[in-house]
Amino acid sequence: PSQPLYTPEPDICHELLGHVAMFAEPSFANLAHEIGIASLGASDEFVDQLVAVYWFTIECGVCREGDDLKVYGATILSSIGELQYCFGDTPEHKPLDLAVTAVQKY
């Protein structure tokens, strides 16, 4: 059945709307590259921590600019449903703390 607000499979909208513009920015491309390099030969526990950081930044990242909430995460940018949820009252937006983010369940 069709679910136009979300698709669990990798899709061209997610890649184009979410990742292409982000990875054209060298700092984001470098972050993704460094996460990949850090995972090589790492323990399963450390890889899980890297995955959590990747998820809460590159995939689902939001930030504040003044009082405005801004979205940069590819999963949110490529989904109308995720955008609506993100700007609703339900999610709790927290400052980025890598020690906490690395062990946060998602």
Side-chain angles (χ1 to χ4, degrees):
S2 176
Q3 293 183 335
L5 298 181
Y6 174 75
T7 177
E9 298 86 14
D11 68 278
I12 195 67
C13 291
H14 173 81
E15 300 305 324
L16 290 175
L17 296 173
H19 287 300
V20 169
M22 177 187 293
F23 291 144
E25 165 55 44
S27 60
F28 279 107
N30 188 50
L31 174 62
H33 178 76
E34 291 298 325
I35 289 173
I37 295 297
S39 72
L40 298 176
S43 69
D44 289 346
E45 180 183 357
F46 188 68
V47 169
D48 289 344
Q49 292 175 354
L50 291 171
V51 168
V53 169
Y54 189 95
W55 179 256
F56 287 110
T57 57
I58 291 174
E59 287 296 338
C60 297
V62 298
C63 62
R64 291 224 178 259
E65 186 174 68
D67 292 334
D68 296 329
L69 184 67
K70 304 281 183 152
V71 173
Y72 66 89
T75 297
I76 300 171
L77 288 173
S78 63
S79 169
I80 293 169
E82 293 292 337
L83 279 167
Q84 290 170 335
Y85 175 82
C86 180
F87 286 102
D89 295 330
T90 304
E92 181 181 355
H93 302 289
K94 300 177 182 180
L96 180 62
D97 178 338
L98 291 176
V100 172
T101 301
V103 295
Q104 177 69 43
K105 300 297 178 205
Y106 57 94

